[in-house]
Amino acid sequence: MTDSLLTETREDDKTAAWWRQAVVYQIYPRSFADANGDGLGDIPGIVSRADYLAELGIDAVWLSPFYPSALADGGYDVADYRDVDPRLGTLDDFDAMVAALHERGIRVVVDIVPNHTSNLHEWFQEALAAGRGSAARERYIFREGSGPDGAEPPTDWGAAFGGGAWERVEDGQWYLHSFAPEQPDLNWDHPEVREDFLTTLRFWSDRGVDGFRIDVAHMLTKDLTEPLPSNAELELIDRTSGRHPLTDRDDVHEIYAEWRKVFNEYDPPRTAVAEAWVETPERRAKYASAEGLGQAFNFDLLVADFDAAQFRRIIADNLEQARTTGSSTTWVLSNHDVTRHATRYGLPALDGRRVKQGTEWVAAGGPEDQLDRERGIRRAHAATLLLLGLPGSTYLYQGEELGLQEVAEISAEQRQDPSFFRGASFDGLGRDGCRVPLPWTASGPSFGFGSAGAHLPQPEWFAEYAVDVEAADPSSTLSLYREALRQRHILQADESLEWIETGRSDVLRFRRPNGWEVVTNFGVEPFELGLDSAHDVLGTAVDGAVPGESTVWIAPDALLG
């Protein structure tokens, strides 16, 4: 008994459609590689590791923000959208990086942060100097306060990083910041704001950037008609109607339609993927429209247990969304905002609770008696091989190819994440634990990250995960990723799959159109493959069975040449 889910390819031009089944590797630049030894990763550091990226076998890199920033939010407080932070390099360094990656067949995607700027952005500094009623303040969201003498914020809204969402300036007005106070929200009803971002998209596209990741793509447009609702009233407003005052409004797609026109000015068209935290698959699909951004992140697996039923439902739902929109699916297990999945999978199950898994463990200080590291990495391997076998694009986060665990042992004085300092509940002790600089060598002051220390503390156990250690070990996580990505390029097929009944609720099996099969055993008892199984390509079948908590790829000999 089988059922089929099919996603039609919208473009025949394979160059233009490179993103549809790409493997994209996210680089958090400040924690990837440090070329000048100042403890902060930089653009030349990425260039120095270009061969490593090529050997890994990825199709593209996505760079988290590298723009001038005071680092109030790890670079997501942007002071200048069309330059490189001088601590990370120069525009010439950026051009050299693009050239080095393109020479190796690796495309480049950069982060765009359109909901807010840094409070150091020239526009915001102009707004502060210009005062009440000025044209400069119209680019942001300024309001008079409430209560006697306007001394209270306009509303009781909370910010994502904790605390209130309004900050008072010297002349008594308040500005809206949905995240940190150093990140004032832009007013997307203002034509200058819209035009300036079109200029930014062209600026980076002209420098050879192949695509863009859009930060909090669901939050740009807002209806701030007076009187403003209270927080309690906001909570009662339907978030699926497209008319919520602050999030996922239908009118945001007018902006992305304009962006799509810019993307299509280039040959091949520039790509985009939305970070859109929305309530329903139908709402997410709007961001993946061909008339808009074209692709949207699926974050469902970030809040899922290692559970066959949950994975099956998430896969089926997202393939159906892709079929409806004409986009391709996106799969992600880790990124710069969540606990690394090798750790998440070693923790007790959440039983379907939709929270960022692992934050409670981090908040508790990372107690070792709650974490089964061996099981976590075993499950992480199984989940990664499952995802790499699916139709669509897979986004990897730097360090997951090493099997890195979350770093919980960071003291309060060493932490940098504003969500920690402002008491945001959804992030535990903050997101620093997944942003610790990578270990490249088993020795050295920063495990080869740079010639000196690192901006976040690296634990001693990082030595066993170092690139030079894992590259020499054919059984390492790095070796597994390299081989999986190599085989994926050989085995890749059209964007469809057919589920194969396994007779077990804890085992998933599907077949791609060319005969490539993926079998994942989420349980602990071995699963018999049966005589119809062809050739064991990746993963190890023991006596014709898939071991517990593991994935095996199988394919006909003819497919392998």
Side-chain angles (χ1 to χ4, degrees):
M1 178 180 178
T2 63
D3 58 270
S4 182
L5 293 164
L6 179 63
T7 309
E8 296 294 340
T9 300
R10 188 169 65 242
E11 301 172 62
D12 293 330
D13 185 341
K14 297 301 182 183
T15 300
W18 67 266
W19 52 274
R20 295 191 64 89
Q21 299 204 73
V23 174
V24 183
Y25 182 91
Q26 181 188 358
I27 290 178
Y28 192 74
R30 291 167 174 82
S31 295
F32 185 69
D34 172 18
N36 64 4
D38 66 354
L40 203 62
D42 45 41
I43 301 299
I46 297 172
V47 176
S48 74
R49 301 296 182 179
D51 285 340
Y52 171 82
L53 296 169
E55 290 167 6
L56 186 57
I58 58 172
D59 300 297
V61 297
W62 150 33
L63 271 67
S64 289
F66 51 86
Y67 314 108
S69 171
L71 301 184
D73 180 23
Y76 283 87
D77 48 315
V78 179
D80 185 344
Y81 289 87
R82 298 191 283 273
D83 203 354
V84 175
D85 190 318
R87 291 168 292 185
L88 274 64
T90 65
L91 283 171
D92 286 343
D93 291 330
F94 182 88
D95 293 342
M97 179 199 68
V98 171
L101 294 175
H102 281 177
E103 286 170 4
R104 292 162 175 79
I106 300 171
R107 292 178 169 87
V108 178
V109 176
V110 300
D111 230 309
I112 294 293
V113 187
N115 178 71
H116 46 263
T117 70
S118 165
N119 61 342
L120 301 180
H121 191 284
E122 63 178 1
W123 276 1
F124 193 73
Q125 290 297 306
E126 181 186 353
L128 292 181
R132 277 187 169 88
S134 64
R137 288 203 176 179
E138 292 302 314
R139 300 189 189 111
Y140 293 90
I141 300 169
F142 279 86
R143 290 290 186 274
E144 297 298 335
S146 61
D149 301 321
E152 298 297 323
T155 69
D156 62 347
W157 300 345
F161 292 156
W166 298 91
E167 188 79 2
R168 200 177 194 190
V169 300
E170 284 189 8
D171 61 23
Q173 276 200 312
W174 299 73
Y175 66 87
L176 179 67
H177 60 89
S178 297
F179 294 89
E182 297 87 353
Q183 295 169 296
D185 282 27
L186 286 163
N187 171 20
W188 273 88
D189 287 334
H190 200 296
E192 287 185 34
V193 172
R194 298 196 179 204
E195 188 60 36
D196 195 70
F197 272 87
L198 297 181
T199 300
T200 293
L201 296 174
R202 290 190 177 98
F203 177 87
W204 294 112
S205 295
D206 289 345
R207 301 191 92 91
V209 164
D210 302 281
F212 302 90
R213 179 263 190 187
I214 314 304
D215 187 61
V216 291
H218 56 294
M219 292 183 65
L220 275 58
T221 56
K222 300 172 177 68
D223 179 3
L224 298 177
T225 305
E226 302 281 357
L228 299 176
S230 67
N231 192 62
E233 290 169 331
L234 275 181
E235 291 298 317
L236 296 176
I237 298 175
D238 182 11
R239 290 175 177 261
T240 65
S241 67
R243 296 187 296 275
H244 189 279
L246 300 182
T247 185
D248 190 27
R249 295 178 51 79
D250 283 340
D251 54 12
V252 76
H253 299 292
E254 298 170 8
I255 295 169
Y256 298 137
E258 289 298 312
W259 290 20
R260 173 48 55 188
K261 293 177 183 177
V262 172
F263 299 152
N264 289 345
E265 293 172 4
Y266 295 86
D267 184 18
R270 297 323 190 221
T271 66
V273 58
E275 181 204 28
W277 292 91
V278 297
E279 295 294 314
T280 67
E282 293 75 21
R283 297 302 303 175
R284 185 191 302 146
K286 292 180 177 293
Y287 296 85
S289 164
E291 291 72 41
L293 295 176
Q295 196 175 56
F297 276 121
N298 148 34
F299 295 124
D300 297 337
L301 290 173
L302 298 182
V303 292
D305 296 321
F306 185 79
D307 175 83
Q310 291 182 47
F311 269 66
R312 168 90 181 235
R313 173 184 53 76
I314 288 167
I315 292 167
D317 287 350
N318 282 278
L319 287 174
E320 177 60 24
Q321 288 175 46
R323 185 195 64 79
T324 301
T325 63
S327 182
S328 70
T329 47
T330 60
W331 309 110
V332 56
L333 293 172
S334 284
N335 63 30
H336 65 292
D337 279 336
V338 300
T339 304
R340 289 186 176 276
H341 67 277
T343 296
R344 297 200 316 264
Y345 291 150
L347 295 170
L350 293 176
D351 299 322
R353 285 185 289 141
R354 289 188 63 83
V355 297
K356 287 186 176 180
Q357 192 181 31
T359 57
E360 296 173 354
W361 178 80
V362 173
E368 281 295 317
D369 61 349
Q370 294 180 17
L371 176 63
D372 186 338
R373 291 182 182 268
E374 184 178 340
R375 189 177 207 188
I377 193 63
R378 183 170 65 246
R379 288 174 162 186
H381 289 174
T384 296
L385 289 183
L386 169 59
L387 260 62
L388 289 174
L390 289 168
S393 57
T394 302
Y395 286 77
L396 309 177
Y397 178 53
Q398 65 176 43
E400 72 169 82
E401 78 278 12
L402 304 175
L404 279 185
Q405 301 271 348
E406 187 79 1
V407 179
E409 56 268 40
I410 303 175
S411 65
E413 59 271 17
Q414 293 172 311
R415 289 191 174 273
Q416 301 174 8
D417 189 351
S419 67
F420 167 73
F421 295 104
R422 293 180 60 80
S425 60
F426 70 89
D427 276 325
L429 287 182
R431 299 160 295 175
D432 294 316
C434 65
R435 301 177 179 185
V436 175
L438 297 189
W440 294 93
T441 60
S443 60
S446 58
F447 298 107
F449 169 68
S451 59
H455 69 98
L456 282 169
Q458 300 161 300
E460 289 301 316
W461 51 262
F462 256 35
E464 63 187 273
Y465 294 89
V467 170
D468 65 349
V469 172
E470 295 206 14
D473 180 3
S475 67
S476 70
T477 301
L478 177 59
S479 295
L480 176 67
Y481 269 69
R482 285 175 170 174
E483 181 62 13
L485 294 177
R486 187 186 74 81
Q487 293 285 2
R488 188 179 192 269
H489 282 289
I490 297 171
L491 297 170
Q492 193 56 266
D494 292 339
E495 292 177 52
S496 66
L497 66 75
E498 181 181 40
W499 292 107
I500 300 173
E501 184 59 53
T502 65
R504 278 179 49 175
S505 61
D506 59 356
V507 177
L508 297 184
R509 183 173 187 171
F510 59 83
R511 180 185 297 118
R512 299 292 296 277
N514 57 0
W516 172 22
E517 293 186 15
V518 177
V519 186
T520 300
N521 183 356
F522 288 82
V524 295
E525 296 298 323
F527 171 71
E528 296 293 333
L529 283 171
L531 297 178
D532 62 326
S533 301
H535 186 78
D536 184 354
V537 176
L538 200 62
T540 303
V542 179
D543 296 327
V546 181
E549 299 182 330
S550 65
T551 294
V552 170
W553 290 0
I554 52 180
D557 288 328
L559 184 60
L560 303 174

